[in-house]
Amino acid sequence: MKAVVAAGALGLVLITSVPASAAGDDVLFAFTDPTISEASALTPLGKGLYATTNDSGDSGRVFTVDSSGDTVGVTHWAADPVDVEGLAPAGGNHVWVGDIGDNNSVWDSIRIAKVRVGRGERTVSPTVYELVYPDGPHNAESLLAHPDGRVFVATKDWGGGRLYAVPRRLDPNGPNRLKEVAPVIPMATDGAFFPDGKNLVVRGYYSATIYDWPSMDRVGSFRTPDQEQGEAIGVTPKSEVVVTSEGIRAEVIRVDPELVGEVLGDEPSPTADPTPDADEPAAEDEGGDKGGDDGGSAGPIALVALAVAAYFIFRKRN
Protein backbone atom coordinates (compact mmCIF):
# COMPACT_ATOMS: atom_id res chain seq x y z
CA MET A 1 0.00 0.00 0.00
CA LYS A 2 2.85 2.41 0.77
CA ALA A 3 4.18 1.84 -2.74
CA VAL A 4 0.77 2.62 -4.15
CA VAL A 5 0.52 5.85 -2.16
CA ALA A 6 4.03 6.83 -3.19
CA ALA A 7 3.27 6.16 -6.83
CA GLY A 8 0.12 8.21 -6.58
CA ALA A 9 1.95 11.06 -4.86
CA LEU A 10 4.67 11.02 -7.49
CA GLY A 11 2.06 11.11 -10.21
CA LEU A 12 0.30 14.05 -8.61
CA VAL A 13 3.56 15.95 -8.25
CA LEU A 14 4.37 15.39 -11.91
CA ILE A 15 0.87 16.45 -12.90
CA THR A 16 1.08 19.73 -11.00
CA SER A 17 4.26 20.58 -12.87
CA VAL A 18 2.29 20.70 -16.12
CA PRO A 19 -0.03 23.64 -16.93
CA ALA A 20 -3.61 22.72 -16.02
CA SER A 21 -4.98 23.79 -19.38
CA ALA A 22 -4.00 25.54 -22.56
CA ALA A 23 -4.65 29.25 -22.95
CA GLY A 24 -6.95 28.55 -25.87
CA ASP A 25 -9.28 26.19 -23.98
CA ASP A 26 -12.81 27.55 -24.05
CA VAL A 27 -15.61 26.79 -21.57
CA LEU A 28 -18.68 26.29 -23.73
CA PHE A 29 -21.18 25.82 -20.91
CA ALA A 30 -21.85 23.99 -17.65
CA PHE A 31 -24.60 21.44 -17.10
CA THR A 32 -27.44 23.21 -15.31
CA ASP A 33 -29.26 19.98 -14.44
CA PRO A 34 -28.04 18.70 -11.04
CA THR A 35 -29.13 15.16 -11.95
CA ILE A 36 -26.21 15.10 -14.41
CA SER A 37 -23.78 14.41 -11.61
CA GLU A 38 -21.43 11.73 -13.00
CA ALA A 39 -21.14 12.44 -16.72
CA SER A 40 -19.11 9.59 -18.15
CA ALA A 41 -19.60 10.25 -21.87
CA LEU A 42 -20.13 13.17 -24.23
CA THR A 43 -21.34 12.91 -27.82
CA PRO A 44 -21.92 16.04 -29.93
CA LEU A 45 -25.15 15.64 -31.89
CA GLY A 46 -24.81 18.71 -34.12
CA LYS A 47 -26.94 21.86 -34.14
CA GLY A 48 -25.67 22.81 -30.69
CA LEU A 49 -26.89 19.65 -28.95
CA TYR A 50 -24.89 17.14 -26.90
CA ALA A 51 -25.72 13.74 -25.42
CA THR A 52 -24.40 12.61 -22.06
CA THR A 53 -25.12 9.91 -19.50
CA ASN A 54 -24.33 9.19 -15.87
CA ASP A 55 -22.32 6.11 -14.97
CA SER A 56 -23.18 3.37 -12.46
CA GLY A 57 -25.88 4.04 -9.91
CA ASP A 58 -28.25 5.83 -12.29
CA SER A 59 -31.10 4.36 -14.26
CA GLY A 60 -30.59 3.84 -17.97
CA ARG A 61 -31.13 7.31 -19.38
CA VAL A 62 -29.43 9.61 -21.86
CA PHE A 63 -29.62 13.39 -21.48
CA THR A 64 -29.76 15.78 -24.43
CA VAL A 65 -28.28 19.15 -23.53
CA ASP A 66 -28.28 22.39 -25.53
CA SER A 67 -25.47 24.92 -25.96
CA SER A 68 -26.52 26.79 -22.81
CA GLY A 69 -26.15 23.66 -20.70
CA ASP A 70 -29.87 23.10 -20.18
CA THR A 71 -31.34 19.61 -20.41
CA VAL A 72 -33.81 19.67 -23.30
CA GLY A 73 -34.45 15.95 -23.61
CA VAL A 74 -34.18 12.67 -21.70
CA THR A 75 -34.36 9.19 -23.19
CA HIS A 76 -35.12 6.37 -20.76
CA TRP A 77 -33.90 3.10 -22.26
CA ALA A 78 -33.30 0.68 -19.39
CA ALA A 79 -34.51 0.39 -15.82
CA ASP A 80 -31.44 -1.10 -14.19
CA PRO A 81 -28.23 -1.23 -16.25
CA VAL A 82 -25.01 -2.51 -14.68
CA ASP A 83 -22.58 0.36 -15.35
CA VAL A 84 -23.24 2.68 -18.29
CA GLU A 85 -19.98 4.33 -19.29
CA GLY A 86 -19.94 5.13 -23.01
CA LEU A 87 -21.84 6.86 -25.79
CA ALA A 88 -21.04 6.95 -29.50
CA PRO A 89 -22.82 8.52 -32.47
CA ALA A 90 -25.13 6.14 -34.35
CA GLY A 91 -26.35 8.44 -37.11
CA GLY A 92 -29.24 10.86 -37.28
CA ASN A 93 -30.89 11.24 -33.90
CA HIS A 94 -29.50 8.02 -32.39
CA VAL A 95 -26.54 7.11 -30.20
CA TRP A 96 -24.98 3.83 -29.15
CA VAL A 97 -25.09 3.39 -25.37
CA GLY A 98 -22.47 1.21 -23.74
CA ASP A 99 -23.25 -0.69 -20.55
CA ILE A 100 -19.60 -1.68 -20.50
CA GLY A 101 -18.21 -0.79 -17.07
CA ASP A 102 -16.79 -3.69 -15.06
CA ASN A 103 -14.50 -2.33 -12.35
CA ASN A 104 -13.60 -5.78 -11.08
CA SER A 105 -13.41 -7.41 -14.53
CA VAL A 106 -15.77 -10.23 -13.62
CA TRP A 107 -18.76 -9.97 -15.97
CA ASP A 108 -19.12 -12.62 -18.62
CA SER A 109 -20.42 -10.06 -21.12
CA ILE A 110 -21.12 -6.38 -21.74
CA ARG A 111 -24.01 -4.73 -23.60
CA ILE A 112 -24.67 -2.00 -26.14
CA ALA A 113 -27.94 -0.57 -27.46
CA LYS A 114 -28.88 1.94 -30.13
CA VAL A 115 -31.28 4.54 -28.74
CA ARG A 116 -33.04 7.60 -30.02
CA VAL A 117 -32.11 10.91 -28.41
CA GLY A 118 -33.02 14.55 -28.90
CA ARG A 119 -35.43 17.12 -27.57
CA GLY A 120 -38.29 15.90 -25.42
CA GLU A 121 -38.73 13.05 -22.98
CA ARG A 122 -39.27 9.51 -24.19
CA THR A 123 -39.09 5.92 -23.06
CA VAL A 124 -37.77 3.40 -25.57
CA SER A 125 -37.17 -0.34 -25.62
CA PRO A 126 -34.16 -0.84 -27.88
CA THR A 127 -32.59 -4.13 -28.82
CA VAL A 128 -29.76 -4.79 -26.38
CA TYR A 129 -26.80 -6.64 -27.87
CA GLU A 130 -24.59 -8.81 -25.71
CA LEU A 131 -20.84 -8.64 -26.41
CA VAL A 132 -18.02 -10.86 -25.17
CA TYR A 133 -14.27 -10.30 -25.24
CA PRO A 134 -12.12 -12.96 -26.90
CA ASP A 135 -9.72 -13.04 -23.93
CA GLY A 136 -11.93 -12.76 -20.85
CA PRO A 137 -13.57 -9.88 -18.96
CA HIS A 138 -12.25 -6.30 -19.03
CA ASN A 139 -13.28 -3.00 -17.52
CA ALA A 140 -14.15 -0.40 -20.18
CA GLU A 141 -15.42 3.15 -20.32
CA SER A 142 -14.88 4.04 -23.98
CA LEU A 143 -17.35 3.44 -26.80
CA LEU A 144 -16.39 4.76 -30.24
CA ALA A 145 -18.06 4.79 -33.65
CA HIS A 146 -16.28 5.36 -36.96
CA PRO A 147 -18.16 7.60 -39.43
CA ASP A 148 -18.81 4.53 -41.57
CA GLY A 149 -20.83 3.02 -38.70
CA ARG A 150 -18.24 0.64 -37.22
CA VAL A 151 -18.37 0.46 -33.42
CA PHE A 152 -15.48 -0.15 -31.02
CA VAL A 153 -14.82 -0.61 -27.31
CA ALA A 154 -11.57 0.53 -25.67
CA THR A 155 -10.73 -1.12 -22.36
CA LYS A 156 -9.60 0.67 -19.23
CA ASP A 157 -6.60 -1.37 -18.12
CA TRP A 158 -3.91 0.30 -16.03
CA GLY A 159 -1.17 -1.70 -17.70
CA GLY A 160 -2.37 -0.70 -21.17
CA GLY A 161 -5.79 -0.84 -22.79
CA ARG A 162 -6.94 -2.52 -25.99
CA LEU A 163 -9.29 -1.49 -28.76
CA TYR A 164 -11.86 -4.13 -29.75
CA ALA A 165 -14.14 -4.11 -32.77
CA VAL A 166 -17.83 -4.91 -32.54
CA PRO A 167 -19.04 -7.38 -35.21
CA ARG A 168 -20.47 -5.89 -38.38
CA ARG A 169 -23.74 -7.74 -37.98
CA LEU A 170 -25.06 -8.14 -34.48
CA ASP A 171 -27.09 -11.10 -33.33
CA PRO A 172 -29.82 -9.95 -30.90
CA ASN A 173 -29.72 -13.37 -29.31
CA GLY A 174 -25.95 -13.11 -28.79
CA PRO A 175 -23.40 -13.36 -27.53
CA ASN A 176 -21.47 -11.35 -30.13
CA ARG A 177 -17.70 -11.88 -30.04
CA LEU A 178 -15.47 -8.78 -30.08
CA LYS A 179 -12.29 -8.75 -32.16
CA GLU A 180 -9.04 -7.33 -30.80
CA VAL A 181 -7.66 -4.49 -32.93
CA ALA A 182 -4.73 -2.67 -31.28
CA PRO A 183 -3.26 -1.31 -28.03
CA VAL A 184 -4.40 2.03 -26.60
CA ILE A 185 -3.36 4.11 -23.60
CA PRO A 186 -3.65 2.81 -20.04
CA MET A 187 -6.69 3.87 -17.99
CA ALA A 188 -8.72 5.06 -20.99
CA THR A 189 -11.89 6.84 -19.86
CA ASP A 190 -13.43 7.73 -23.26
CA GLY A 191 -12.71 8.02 -26.96
CA ALA A 192 -14.08 9.30 -30.25
CA PHE A 193 -13.34 9.36 -33.97
CA PHE A 194 -12.80 12.57 -35.90
CA PRO A 195 -15.53 13.17 -38.51
CA ASP A 196 -13.24 12.47 -41.47
CA GLY A 197 -12.55 8.99 -40.04
CA LYS A 198 -8.78 9.37 -40.40
CA ASN A 199 -8.01 9.71 -36.69
CA LEU A 200 -9.38 8.78 -33.31
CA VAL A 201 -8.68 10.17 -29.86
CA VAL A 202 -8.62 8.26 -26.57
CA ARG A 203 -8.38 10.11 -23.28
CA GLY A 204 -7.33 9.34 -19.74
CA TYR A 205 -7.86 11.49 -16.67
CA TYR A 206 -5.22 14.08 -17.56
CA SER A 207 -4.26 13.67 -21.21
CA ALA A 208 -5.48 12.35 -24.54
CA THR A 209 -3.73 10.50 -27.35
CA ILE A 210 -4.53 10.66 -31.06
CA TYR A 211 -4.06 7.66 -33.36
CA ASP A 212 -4.12 7.31 -37.13
CA TRP A 213 -6.84 5.10 -38.54
CA PRO A 214 -6.74 2.31 -39.56
CA SER A 215 -3.03 1.80 -38.81
CA MET A 216 -3.48 2.74 -35.13
CA ASP A 217 -0.07 4.40 -35.23
CA ARG A 218 0.23 6.86 -32.38
CA VAL A 219 0.26 10.47 -33.65
CA GLY A 220 0.82 12.27 -30.35
CA SER A 221 -0.73 13.41 -27.08
CA PHE A 222 -2.08 16.60 -25.59
CA ARG A 223 -3.00 17.78 -22.09
CA THR A 224 -6.70 17.84 -21.25
CA PRO A 225 -8.18 20.68 -19.18
CA ASP A 226 -8.00 20.29 -15.44
CA GLN A 227 -11.38 19.08 -14.16
CA GLU A 228 -12.72 17.24 -11.12
CA GLN A 229 -12.62 13.80 -12.75
CA GLY A 230 -12.07 13.93 -16.49
CA GLU A 231 -14.18 11.14 -17.92
CA ALA A 232 -15.58 12.16 -21.29
CA ILE A 233 -14.39 13.32 -24.70
CA GLY A 234 -16.14 13.98 -27.99
CA VAL A 235 -15.39 15.44 -31.40
CA THR A 236 -17.86 17.84 -33.03
CA PRO A 237 -18.80 17.78 -36.75
CA LYS A 238 -16.32 20.68 -37.09
CA SER A 239 -13.50 18.51 -35.65
CA GLU A 240 -13.40 20.39 -32.35
CA VAL A 241 -12.45 18.29 -29.34
CA VAL A 242 -14.72 18.75 -26.33
CA VAL A 243 -14.38 17.26 -22.84
CA THR A 244 -16.30 17.13 -19.61
CA SER A 245 -16.07 15.69 -16.12
CA GLU A 246 -17.98 14.05 -13.35
CA GLY A 247 -19.45 16.40 -10.76
CA ILE A 248 -22.59 18.49 -10.46
CA ARG A 249 -22.69 21.40 -12.94
CA ALA A 250 -19.53 20.19 -14.62
CA GLU A 251 -18.21 22.32 -17.47
CA VAL A 252 -18.05 21.27 -21.10
CA ILE A 253 -14.77 22.62 -22.46
CA ARG A 254 -13.50 22.91 -26.01
CA VAL A 255 -9.82 21.98 -26.09
CA ASP A 256 -7.60 24.60 -27.69
CA PRO A 257 -7.83 23.85 -31.46
CA GLU A 258 -4.19 24.86 -31.91
CA LEU A 259 -3.14 22.28 -29.33
CA VAL A 260 -4.99 19.54 -31.20
CA GLY A 261 -3.77 20.87 -34.54
CA GLU A 262 -0.16 20.69 -33.39
CA VAL A 263 -0.58 17.00 -32.66
CA LEU A 264 -2.30 16.28 -35.96
CA GLY A 265 0.11 18.38 -37.97
CA ASP A 266 -2.80 19.92 -39.83
CA GLU A 267 -6.49 20.34 -39.24
CA PRO A 268 -8.58 17.25 -40.05
CA SER A 269 -11.27 17.74 -42.67
CA PRO A 270 -14.76 17.92 -41.15
CA THR A 271 -17.68 16.30 -42.90
CA ALA A 272 -20.93 17.99 -43.73
CA ASP A 273 -22.99 15.71 -41.52
CA PRO A 274 -22.40 13.67 -38.34
CA THR A 275 -22.13 9.89 -38.53
CA PRO A 276 -24.40 8.47 -41.26
CA ASP A 277 -27.27 6.36 -40.04
CA ALA A 278 -26.62 2.63 -40.04
CA ASP A 279 -28.62 -0.18 -38.52
CA GLU A 280 -25.60 -2.36 -37.93
CA PRO A 281 -22.05 -1.43 -36.86
CA ALA A 282 -19.25 -2.69 -39.02
CA ALA A 283 -15.81 -3.76 -37.95
CA GLU A 284 -15.21 -7.48 -37.73
CA ASP A 285 -13.47 -7.84 -41.08
CA GLU A 286 -12.10 -4.31 -41.31
CA GLY A 287 -10.40 -3.69 -37.99
CA GLY A 288 -7.29 -1.58 -37.72
CA ASP A 289 -3.77 -2.73 -38.32
CA LYS A 290 -1.83 -3.73 -35.25
CA GLY A 291 1.23 -1.89 -36.44
CA GLY A 292 2.75 1.10 -34.69
CA ASP A 293 3.94 1.49 -31.15
CA ASP A 294 2.45 0.06 -28.00
CA GLY A 295 -0.31 2.66 -27.97
CA GLY A 296 0.85 4.42 -24.82
CA SER A 297 1.73 8.06 -24.35
CA ALA A 298 5.35 9.02 -24.75
CA GLY A 299 7.67 11.00 -22.53
CA PRO A 300 6.34 12.69 -19.38
CA ILE A 301 2.73 11.81 -20.12
CA ALA A 302 3.58 8.12 -20.10
CA LEU A 303 5.38 8.48 -16.78
CA VAL A 304 2.43 10.31 -15.29
CA ALA A 305 -0.03 7.69 -16.56
CA LEU A 306 1.96 4.83 -15.09
CA ALA A 307 2.54 6.62 -11.81
CA VAL A 308 -1.07 7.50 -11.17
CA ALA A 309 -2.50 4.22 -12.41
CA ALA A 310 -1.93 2.34 -9.17
CA TYR A 311 -3.20 5.31 -7.18
CA PHE A 312 -6.53 5.36 -8.96
CA ILE A 313 -6.96 1.61 -8.76
CA PHE A 314 -7.62 2.11 -5.05
CA ARG A 315 -10.11 4.91 -5.59
CA LYS A 316 -13.71 4.63 -6.73
CA ARG A 317 -13.59 4.99 -10.49
CA ASN A 318 -16.93 4.27 -12.19
Side-chain angles (χ1 to χ4, degrees), residues 20-100:
S21 59
D25 290 343
D26 183 21
V27 176
L28 301 180
F29 58 84
F31 297 123
T32 61
D33 185 349
T35 61
I36 303 175
S37 57
E38 296 190 46
S40 62
L42 183 68
T43 294
L45 302 173
K47 298 182 180 179
L49 298 179
Y50 298 81
T52 189
T53 187
N54 290 320
D55 62 15
S56 64
D58 197 5
S59 61
R61 56 181 173 170
V62 180
F63 301 88
T64 299
V65 179
D66 67 13
S67 58
S68 65
D70 294 336
T71 297
V72 297
V74 181
T75 297
H76 303 271
W77 69 275
D80 190 22
V82 177
D83 187 359
V84 177
E85 291 283 0
L87 294 176
N93 57 352
H94 290 76
V95 297
W96 287 102
V97 181
D99 189 3
I100 57 178

Side-chain angles (χ1 to χ4, degrees), residues 254-299:
R254 183 190 66 180
V255 177
D256 184 354
E258 291 188 4
L259 191 64
V260 178
E262 286 177 1
V263 175
L264 289 169
D266 53 32
E267 294 296 331
S269 301
T271 56
D273 297 308
T275 307
D277 203 359
D279 291 335
E280 302 291 351
E284 188 170 45
D285 298 324
E286 303 176 33
D289 208 343
K290 292 188 181 181
D293 64 9
D294 62 0
S297 301

Side-chain angles (χ1 to χ4, degrees), residues 25-293:
D25 290 343
D26 183 21
V27 176
L28 301 180
F29 58 84
F31 297 123
T32 61
D33 185 349
T35 61
I36 303 175
S37 57
E38 296 190 46
S40 62
L42 183 68
T43 294
L45 302 173
K47 298 182 180 179
L49 298 179
Y50 298 81
T52 189
T53 187
N54 290 320
D55 62 15
S56 64
D58 197 5
S59 61
R61 56 181 173 170
V62 180
F63 301 88
T64 299
V65 179
D66 67 13
S67 58
S68 65
D70 294 336
T71 297
V72 297
V74 181
T75 297
H76 303 271
W77 69 275
D80 190 22
V82 177
D83 187 359
V84 177
E85 291 283 0
L87 294 176
N93 57 352
H94 290 76
V95 297
W96 287 102
V97 181
D99 189 3
I100 57 178
D102 183 4
N103 288 336
N104 296 318
S105 299
V106 295
W107 300 113
D108 292 333
S109 63
I110 57 176
R111 290 145 296 281
I112 63 171
K114 184 179 179 181
V115 306
R116 182 183 176 187
V117 295
R119 296 181 182 272
E121 187 159 356
R122 62 185 57 81
T123 299
V124 299
S125 299
T127 301
V128 177
Y129 298 99
E130 184 183 10
L131 310 176
V132 295
Y133 295 100
D135 54 349
H138 291 274
N139 186 26
E141 295 187 1
S142 307
L143 192 68
L144 305 83
H146 190 275
D148 67 5
R150 290 175 289 181
V151 179
F152 301 85
V153 176
T155 62
K156 183 185 181 183
D157 298 318
W158 74 268
R162 307 290 298 184
L163 186 70
Y164 293 84
V166 174
R168 175 183 293 277
R169 296 198 175 278
L170 287 166
D171 179 357
N173 298 315
N176 297 273
R177 190 177 179 86
L178 296 167
K179 180 180 179 181
E180 185 176 326
V181 176
V184 294
I185 61 171
M187 300 297 285
T189 62
D190 201 7
F193 276 89
F194 284 81
D196 62 6
K198 297 179 180 179
N199 298 99
L200 65 146
V201 59
V202 180
R203 74 162 295 175
Y205 291 113
Y206 302 103
S207 66
T209 296
I210 294 177
Y211 300 90
D212 277 331
W213 183 259
S215 71
M216 285 301 291
D217 290 334
R218 179 186 171 277
V219 178
S221 300
F222 59 89
R223 185 74 159 82
T224 53
D226 188 20
Q227 293 185 288
E228 179 179 330
Q229 184 173 318
E231 289 273 356
I233 195 167
V235 182
T236 73
K238 294 182 179 180
S239 294
E240 297 173 324
V241 176
V242 290
V243 297
T244 195
S245 166
E246 291 194 0
I248 295 176
R249 295 181 175 84
E251 294 176 333
V252 172
I253 301 174
R254 183 190 66 180
V255 177
D256 184 354
E258 291 188 4
L259 191 64
V260 178
E262 286 177 1
V263 175
L264 289 169
D266 53 32
E267 294 296 331
S269 301
T271 56
D273 297 308
T275 307
D277 203 359
D279 291 335
E280 302 291 351
E284 188 170 45
D285 298 324
E286 303 176 33
D289 208 343
K290 292 188 181 181
D293 64 9

